[in-house]
């Protein structure tokens, strides 16, 4: 009995000390281990063997189609042409916003300032397109080579390329978003000042405040000015938010495709189609009845297997980016926060 107690004591306490030493050594090398682990996750994400086979197969098929059936130079010229058309569309939209659209009475001075500001950035974007047009075939060739490691690798590079190519749309949206957010915050703060209250960030509540006549007059003037300028800001914010949401929706479709290829249980679905015994979740045993409805003699039973359903298998698939949901998009649109895809 004493030897048994001693054995338990060594196992619980002496091994525990060794584990603590291991934890201390792992904590000492924690930054480098975290960096290496994150790098491995980014470069070599964990995928099932069937998903890897599908990923590489789709990548090789697409690589063959691009290299043997697509004229890269012509495709790059068409891509630059479409980007220039998009810049012309934004220029036309800004001109339309400066002409009191839908009968809205906007502030002419603010509209003129915003029109000059955005037109200058469109001019910069056109210069940016003319600069990268010479290197566009090389960029497309490079992206097409990424099909060899897998189709998801190609989609990842395509997502990054779309962010770089459509950077001006995100810039326009960020400018309008920051202007809208700052104006909303200022209107809310000055509205509380006019009402004789203020927000207490320490206690997270609204308290009453005493203001002088000069403070009240100045706050009322600034509040009225921002309130009358707000419809113009809101219109620009809504227009550029709609354009940016179209880009974000396209990027979310690419992220969803990557997630489906990585997480779809292709192996389990194949096993269900082949009636593999490992996918059996239940067994039904029923007595065999004759044509008269009575049970046959000899206690004969029929055994049937219930396999896992396709719906439960497909439920394991992750759709899109969990860091950005529709609820988050709605909240950010109201608050004026920038919406972007998290990689």
């Amino acid at each position: 009995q004493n030897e048994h107690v001693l054995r338990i004591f060594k196992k619980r306490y002496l091994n525990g000390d060794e584990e603590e030493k291991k934890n201390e050594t792992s904590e000492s090398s924690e930054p480098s281990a975290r960096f290496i682990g994150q790098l491995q996750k980014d470069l070599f994400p964990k995928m099932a063997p069937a998903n890897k086979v599908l990923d590489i197969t789709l990548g090789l098929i697409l690589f063959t189609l691009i290299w043997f059936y697509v004229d890269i130079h012509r495709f790059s010229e068409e891509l630059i042409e479409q980007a220039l058309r998009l810049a012309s569309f934004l220029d036309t939209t800004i001109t339309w916003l400066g002409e009191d659209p839908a009968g809205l009475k906007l502030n002419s001075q603010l509209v003129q300032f915003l029109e000059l500001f955005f037109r200058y950035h469109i001019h910069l974007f056109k210069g940016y397109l003319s600069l990268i047009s010479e290197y566009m075939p090389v960029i497309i060739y490079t992206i097409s080579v990424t099909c060899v490691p897998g189709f998801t690798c190609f989609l990842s590079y395509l997502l990054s390329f779309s962010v770089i190519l459509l950077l001006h749309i995100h810039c326009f949206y960020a400018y309008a978003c920051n202007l809208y957010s700052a104006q909303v915050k200022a209107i809310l703060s000055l509205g509380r000042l006019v009402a004789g209250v203020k927000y207490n960030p320490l206690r997270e509540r609204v308290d009453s405040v005493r203001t002088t006549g000069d403070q009240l007059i100045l706050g009322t003037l600034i509040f009225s000015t921002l309130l009358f300028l707000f419809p113009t800001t809101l219109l620009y914010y809504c227009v550029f938010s709609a354009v940016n949401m179209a880009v974000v929706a396209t990027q979310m479709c690419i992220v969803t495709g990557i997630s489906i290829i990585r997480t779809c249980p292709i192996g389990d679905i194949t096993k269900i189609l082949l009636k593999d015994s490992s996918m059996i979740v239940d067994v039904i045993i029923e007595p065999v009845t004759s044509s008269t409805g009575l049970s046959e003699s000899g206690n004969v039973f029929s055994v049937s297997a219930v396999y896992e359903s396709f719906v439960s298998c497909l439920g394991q698939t992750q759709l899109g980016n969990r860091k950005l949901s529709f609820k988050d998009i709605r909240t950010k649109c109201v608050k004026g926060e920038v919406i972007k895809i998290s990689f």
Side-chain angles (χ1 to χ4, degrees), residues 11 35 38 49 76 102 114 141 149 159 161 166 185 194 205 215 221 225 267 273 285 302 305-306 342:
K11 185 177 181 180
F35 174 75
Q38 187 64 33
S76 60
L114 293 176
Y141 273 119
L159 183 63
F161 178 70
L166 303 175
K185 291 178 181 178
V194 173
R205 67 181 188 185
Q215 292 176 344
L221 289 175
T225 303
L273 293 174
I285 302 175
S302 65
V306 178
S342 300

Side-chain angles (χ1 to χ4, degrees), residues 159 247-257 320 324 326 329 341:
L159 183 63
V247 177
V248 171
T250 305
Q251 294 175 351
M252 288 184 69
C253 291
I254 297 176
V255 173
T256 302
L324 187 63
F326 290 102
I329 292 175
I341 295 291

Side-chain angles (χ1 to χ4, degrees), residues 268-323:
D268 294 342
I269 294 174
T270 306
K271 290 179 180 179
I272 293 174
L273 293 174
L274 297 177
K275 301 295 183 179
D276 192 89
S277 59
S278 61
M279 302 306 296
I280 296 176
V281 294
D282 197 3
V283 177
I284 299 177
I285 302 175
E286 295 178 345
V288 177
T289 57
S290 61
S291 59
T292 59
L294 299 176
S295 177
E296 294 182 353
S297 60
N299 296 328
V300 180
F301 296 91
S302 65
V303 180
S304 60
V306 178
Y307 293 88
E308 189 173 354
S309 63
F310 291 102
V311 177
S312 60
C313 284
L314 294 176
Q316 304 174 13
T317 306
Q318 298 178 6
L319 298 178
N321 192 351
R322 292 182 176 181
K323 297 180 181 179

